[in-house]
Amino acid sequence: MNIKYRFIRENEYPFLKEMLYEALFVPPSQPKFPASIIEVPEIAKYINSWEQGKSDIAIVAVHDDELLGAVWGRKFEESNKGYGFVDEATPEISMAVKPEFRNKGIGTSLLNQIESEFAKIGIITLSLSVNKLNPAKQLYERCGYEIFQEEETAVTMMKEIRK
């Protein structure tokens, strides 16, 4: 499968909504969230008013013009923290791959791409939040993310991307 990785295009911003929904972990045997959950302010802030560039960066995985997954990150302020907030200088990233394309290396490649792009603009660290039961936690660990803070069901992980 020939997969290309590139910055998201403005006409593809709705795909971030789809991927934000996919990124919400539902434990086994639990019902899926209603689609409207991505409109809840604590969740919607991960994609609202997206401004590609500066500290908002989104990268998509594409095969034959089909978007397969995305990784995106932005900085949050102390007064409007994300779930994986570390500090105002550290962008928090989110990622999702369509279910039928998981476990094919796409997530790893997406992480590598966004780390590279953030490093180019002088970012030193990235953070994320992941449910402890989410299989993606193992992906993040394999890619060098380490636990920064532990909550009841989730962990905030962090990675130094530029030394």
Side-chain angles (χ1 to χ4, degrees), residues 80-98:
N80 187 31
K81 299 178 188 181
Y83 293 107
F85 181 82
V86 171
D87 59 44
E88 291 186 359
T90 302
E92 183 179 344
I93 62 170
S94 302
M95 181 175 70
V97 174
K98 288 181 177 179

Side-chain angles (χ1 to χ4, degrees), residues 141-158:
E141 289 170 339
R142 279 195 314 271
C143 290
Y145 288 79
E146 297 177 349
I147 294 175
F148 174 78
Q149 185 175 336
E150 202 161 334
E151 301 292 330
E152 194 172 308
T153 60
V155 293
T156 296
M157 301 182 85
M158 192 168 136

Side-chain angles (χ1 to χ4, degrees), residues 53-122:
K54 297 188 182 174
S55 68
D56 282 0
I57 294 177
I59 296 171
V60 290
V62 186
H63 173 66
D64 287 342
D65 295 326
E66 179 184 2
L67 298 172
L68 310 180
V71 62
W72 65 97
R74 70 178 358 166
K75 292 180 184 177
F76 289 101
E77 295 177 354
E78 179 85 31
S79 62
N80 187 31
K81 299 178 188 181
Y83 293 107
F85 181 82
V86 171
D87 59 44
E88 291 186 359
T90 302
E92 183 179 344
I93 62 170
S94 302
M95 181 175 70
V97 174
K98 288 181 177 179
E100 63 271 30
F101 296 104
R102 293 180 185 159
N103 299 310
K104 299 181 184 317
I106 296 169
T108 300
S109 294
L110 283 167
L111 286 173
N112 290 337
Q113 294 286 326
I114 202 161
E115 290 166 9
S116 174
E117 293 303 325
F118 272 120
K120 285 178 190 175
I121 61 168

Side-chain angles (χ1 to χ4, degrees), residues 25-27 128-137 140 153-155:
F25 178 72
V26 179
L128 58 87
S129 176
V130 64
N131 186 293
K132 292 177 182 177
L133 300 176
N134 190 333
K137 181 177 177 281
Y140 300 135
T153 60
V155 293

